[in-house]
Amino acid sequence: MAKILVVDDEAAIVRFLKAFLEKRGYTVATALDGKEAIEKLREDKPDVMLLDIRLGDKNGLEVLKEAKSITPDVAVVMITAVSDEEIGKRALELGAFDYIMKPFELPHLEKVLRWTMKLTT
């Protein structure tokens, strides 16, 4: 099963997504900020990264750009509570696979993950 890196500055969201994804058989690593996300990306080499736009230390777009330079094949799904078309467009230009809004429905997240993995494997 695929490896997923969950990156969000809200610990409760990280814990929830980790438990949810592990119950579905995924291997899950987590990070609470951009610096930790880049470290985990290098160490764990995930297939998919769920990446929040607003992080404590870095902007998610900065992390996306750095992640794609380190591991071009990682599929990045941006997650955010901020509805901003320009940020979404910029994320896709930088190589994000998809952009989903919080709060999202878990079946929708599963669908995006399955589609992401189907296209990246």
Side-chain angles (χ1 to χ4, degrees):
M1 190 56 89
K3 289 191 267 182
I4 299 175
L5 174 58
V6 176
V7 184
D8 198 304
D9 60 339
E10 294 181 54
I13 289 173
V14 169
R15 283 191 306 271
F16 175 78
L17 287 174
K18 179 177 173 55
F20 174 78
L21 294 168
E22 285 179 340
K23 284 181 184 175
R24 277 141 186 87
Y26 296 105
T27 301
V28 182
T30 62
L32 294 171
D33 60 39
K35 182 177 184 253
E36 185 181 13
I38 296 302
E39 290 170 8
K40 295 283 177 107
L41 181 72
R42 290 178 198 266
E43 292 170 16
D44 298 331
K45 303 200 182 346
D47 302 297
V48 178
M49 180 174 9
L50 295 177
L51 177 60
D52 191 14
I53 293 281
R54 295 206 175 159
L55 300 170
D57 64 338
K58 287 186 175 189
N59 177 301
L61 295 177
E62 295 169 340
V63 175
L64 168 63
K65 190 174 181 182
E66 191 172 349
K68 290 305 241 175
S69 72
I70 294 167
T71 312
D73 293 338
V74 67
V76 180
V77 176
M78 305 301 292
I79 53 175
T80 185
V82 178
S83 178
D84 185 329
E85 244 181 75
E86 286 304 311
I87 290 176
K89 182 178 174 185
R90 182 73 180 132
L92 295 174
E93 288 170 356
L94 289 171
F97 179 81
D98 204 350
Y99 181 91
I100 58 177
M101 295 292 302
K102 292 179 190 173
F104 46 82
E105 299 289 326
L106 293 175
H108 178 67
L109 176 62
E110 281 188 282
K111 182 178 175 182
V112 168
L113 288 173
R114 280 194 306 274
W115 184 247
T116 302
M117 287 175 225
K118 181 185 277 188
L119 293 179
T120 59
T121 54

